[in-house]
Amino acid sequence: MIRFEQVSCEYEKGKKALDALNFEITEGESVGLIGANGAGKSTLMKALLGLLPHTGKITVDGLMVSGTNLKEIRKKTGLVLQNSDNQMFMPTVYEDMMFGLLNYGMSREEADKRVDEVLGQLGIKELKNQYNHKMSGGEKRMAAIAVVLAMNPETILMDEPTSALDPCNRRIVIRTICSLTQTRLIASHDLDLILDTCSRVILLSGGKIAADGPAQEILRDRELLEANRMELPLCLSGGYGTAHMNGLRGHSQFEDGTAGAGSEVSPISP
């Protein structure tokens, strides 16, 4: 469980990036974190991992986010960064994936097996031995997601997970997120992604919680979204053709007939 109690953060004195936030995320929940630029989404994730000083109390599975607990909290929590270049630091995808697994004590044989499993589940086996600096932005994004999933964290934080992805890889990421059993907190401006993958939404505005509730309700509330500098998801605003909209509205399948949120899907192997 993740719990925020009266949590505030300041980048400059007197200018709060987060302002007295209170919420809980229970085990296994998939929560969308939305808001306009500067609303506090990335700040919230950094505070959760102890990367920014804060006031108030943040706990992860009962552990307070503080210096003595950060190693354990970060072992439990995986973060997919918005900029994949900041996440991929080894020469190849394989080495990046192996680095964390070996450092947490997994044998090389087990780590090799885990790498192959995750790459296969994401459909990117061909990237295994690719050099990071030679990959496209979309390929790096998929590889960064693979690095985090390989660690099998109890909680997964994703900051704009579908940015730079083509439609096919976007569907793969959505399908993967829907199949996960871990607690998920997903920050994104892609509200169609949030609608497909999250049962609950927290809407931030000016560092405060403007709304917290069922995704189906908040993401259909045009007045609320527009009051907070956002718009309806494209699938609800006439931004797609009728057939595409019908597929997204049901959240039961994608354009290629594969399962979406709310359908039976195979989980990523632990």
Side-chain angles (χ1 to χ4, degrees):
M1 175 186 287
I2 296 169
R3 176 176 292 166
F4 275 53
E5 299 177 61
Q6 291 294 114
V7 174
S8 297
C9 288
E10 292 184 356
Y11 286 115
E12 298 178 32
K13 190 171 183 178
K15 294 184 179 180
K16 291 185 177 180
L18 300 178
D19 190 359
L21 299 189
N22 291 285
F23 65 87
E24 290 183 359
I25 298 176
T26 58
E27 183 178 352
E29 263 196 295
S30 186
V31 179
L33 188 62
I34 67 172
N37 291 336
K41 302 184 298 297
S42 295
T43 300
L44 187 155
M45 289 188 168
K46 290 176 183 177
L48 176 56
L49 288 169
L51 299 174
L52 289 175
H54 63 273
T55 59
K57 184 178 179 181
I58 305 175
T59 56
V60 178
D61 294 337
L63 294 173
M64 186 178 296
V65 176
S66 62
T68 55
N69 295 325
L70 290 182
K71 182 177 180 180
E72 183 64 22
I73 287 171
R74 290 170 184 171
K75 186 176 181 180
K76 290 172 172 282
T77 308
L79 171 64
V80 179
L81 296 171
Q82 183 172 357
N83 185 346
S84 301
D85 287 327
N86 293 335
Q87 188 155 356
M88 309 291 289
F89 59 90
M90 299 293 281
T92 67
V93 173
Y94 172 74
E95 290 170 288
D96 254 314
M97 295 181 74
M98 291 290 286
F99 179 84
L101 295 172
L102 295 177
N103 272 276
Y104 277 126
M106 188 176 285
S107 71
R108 180 165 291 276
E109 182 180 359
E110 291 175 316
D112 270 322
K113 183 179 179 182
R114 180 64 181 163
V115 166
D116 288 338
E117 285 177 353
V118 172
L119 291 176
Q121 287 161 339
L122 290 175
I124 54 170
K125 287 183 177 180
E126 71 280 1
L127 297 183
K128 180 176 179 178
N129 295 307
Q130 284 282 351
Y131 286 97
N132 291 326
H133 70 279
K134 291 186 177 181
M135 293 192 296
S136 69
E139 288 173 332
K140 286 181 184 177
R141 167 63 55 179
M142 294 294 291
I145 292 172
V147 168
V148 172
L149 292 183
M151 298 300 296
N152 196 34
E154 295 174 22
T155 298
I156 298 176
L157 312 179
M158 293 185 167
D159 195 356
E160 298 291 353
T162 55
S163 65
L165 294 184
D166 59 41
C168 180
N169 280 330
R170 180 179 178 277
R171 285 199 301 274
I172 291 172
V173 169
I174 290 174
R175 187 183 306 125
T176 299
I177 293 172
C178 289
S179 76
L180 297 172
T181 58
Q182 294 100 323
T183 305
R184 286 143 286 162
L185 181 60
I186 304 164
S188 185
H189 290 116
D190 182 351
L191 298 191
D192 292 277
L193 160 76
I194 299 297
L195 195 60
D196 275 330
T197 58
C198 300
S199 58
R200 174 183 166 199
V201 163
I202 296 174
L203 169 59
L204 294 181
S205 182
K208 297 182 179 181
I209 295 178
D212 181 354
Q216 288 285 343
E217 292 181 12
I218 291 176
L219 296 179
R220 292 173 183 271
D221 190 334
R222 183 190 298 271
E223 184 176 350
L224 172 66
L225 293 173
E226 291 182 352
N228 290 282
R229 298 170 53 206
M230 305 198 75
E231 297 180 347
L232 289 171
L234 286 174
C235 66
L236 301 177
S237 64
Y240 292 136
T242 301
H244 190 106
M245 287 174 66
N246 287 340
L248 287 175
R249 282 193 187 109
H251 302 292
S252 59
Q253 63 179 29
F254 299 104
E255 292 175 76
D256 59 359
T258 53
S263 299
E264 293 294 327
V265 287
S266 300
I268 291 289
S269 302

